[in-house]
Amino acid sequence: MGIVDRLFVMIFDYLNENCKEELEVVQRQYPFETLKYLRNTLRLRYEEGIQMLKEAGAEIDPYKKLNTVVERKLGQLILEKYGTEFYMLHRCPLAARSFYTMPCYDDAKYSNSFDAFIRGEKIISGAQLSEESAKTCGIDVSTISTYIDSFRYGVPPHVGLVQG
C-alpha cells in the first residue's frame, strides 16, 4: 500500500508542477477543480469508512462490498472530514474479496487488501495472495500455478494490483 500511495502522490505533484499549460487547456474544455490530496495519503480501515457512512445515515452490511453510490458518498464524507479526494481503504471484508485474498492475521473476517479511491471512485485494488485461501475454496492450486508463480517471482509479496 505504501508504494502505491506514494507513487500516486508523485504523479499528482508532477502533473501539477510540470503540466500546468496542458491542464489549463483541458480545463477550458472540461472544467474541473484541482485534485485535493494529502502529502501522507489518508489510509482508513474499512471499518472506519463503514462507521462514517453509518453516522451519515447509510444502512449497509459491514461485511459486504460497497456499491458505487455508497463509495461516492464515502468520498464526499472523507473530503469534508479530512480535506482529501485521494484515499485508501484497507482491511476490506474477506467475504467481499477474491478467493485468493489472504485473511488478516488478527481477524479472519477481514483481508490483507486495499482499495484506492479518487473522488469516491475506486481506481485500483490490491491484495496479498494466499494459496491456502484458494485451497479452502476448493480450487486445485496446480490449475492456477502460473498465476501464483507470477506473484511468487515477479511481484513484491505484499501487493498485487488489479484494475478496480
Side-chain angles (χ1 to χ4, degrees):
M1 205 167 47
I3 293 170
V4 175
D5 61 347
R6 287 191 306 269
L7 173 64
F8 273 97
V9 169
M10 287 174 51
I11 291 169
F12 302 150
D13 286 346
Y14 181 87
L15 290 172
N16 289 330
E17 294 166 12
N18 299 299
C19 300
K20 290 178 183 174
E21 291 178 21
E22 293 86 346
L23 288 170
E24 288 172 5
V25 169
V26 173
Q27 195 169 33
R28 281 195 296 270
Q29 182 68 29
Y30 306 99
F32 63 90
E33 289 186 34
T34 303
L35 183 70
K36 295 172 182 70
Y37 60 98
L38 304 173
R39 303 298 326 141
N40 293 314
T41 302
L42 176 66
R43 298 177 185 180
L44 285 179
R45 285 183 171 213
Y46 191 89
E47 304 101 309
E48 294 172 288
I50 293 295
Q51 187 61 37
M52 289 177 71
L53 288 162
K54 285 184 174 184
E55 288 171 3
E59 293 183 26
I60 51 178
D61 184 330
Y63 299 107
K64 292 210 174 171
K65 187 175 181 177
L66 301 178
N67 66 42
T68 302
V69 172
V70 173
E71 288 175 346
R72 289 181 184 149
K73 178 64 177 172
L74 181 58
Q76 292 170 344
L77 296 170
I78 287 173
L79 177 60
E80 292 167 10
K81 184 172 182 175
Y82 297 101
T84 185
E85 296 174 297
F86 175 63
Y87 57 94
M88 300 179 109
L89 287 181
H90 66 102
R91 291 178 54 104
C92 302
L94 190 61
R97 300 311 263 196
S98 299
F99 68 88
Y100 53 75
T101 305
M102 183 179 288
C104 286
Y105 69 92
D106 62 339
D107 189 341
K109 293 185 303 258
Y110 295 97
S111 63
N112 286 344
S113 67
F114 70 89
D115 293 325
F117 294 84
I118 294 178
R119 295 184 172 152
E121 300 281 341
K122 187 185 317 176
I123 56 170
I124 58 171
S125 294
Q128 190 171 7
L129 177 69
S130 168
E131 288 183 49
E132 287 305 313
S133 295
K135 290 176 186 173
T136 299
C137 291
I139 294 170
D140 178 358
V141 178
S142 69
T143 64
I144 59 170
S145 63
T146 305
Y147 181 73
I148 291 172
D149 287 346
S150 70
F151 286 91
R152 184 176 288 125
Y153 302 118
V155 179
H158 63 282
V159 69
L161 298 178
V162 293
Q163 187 171 357

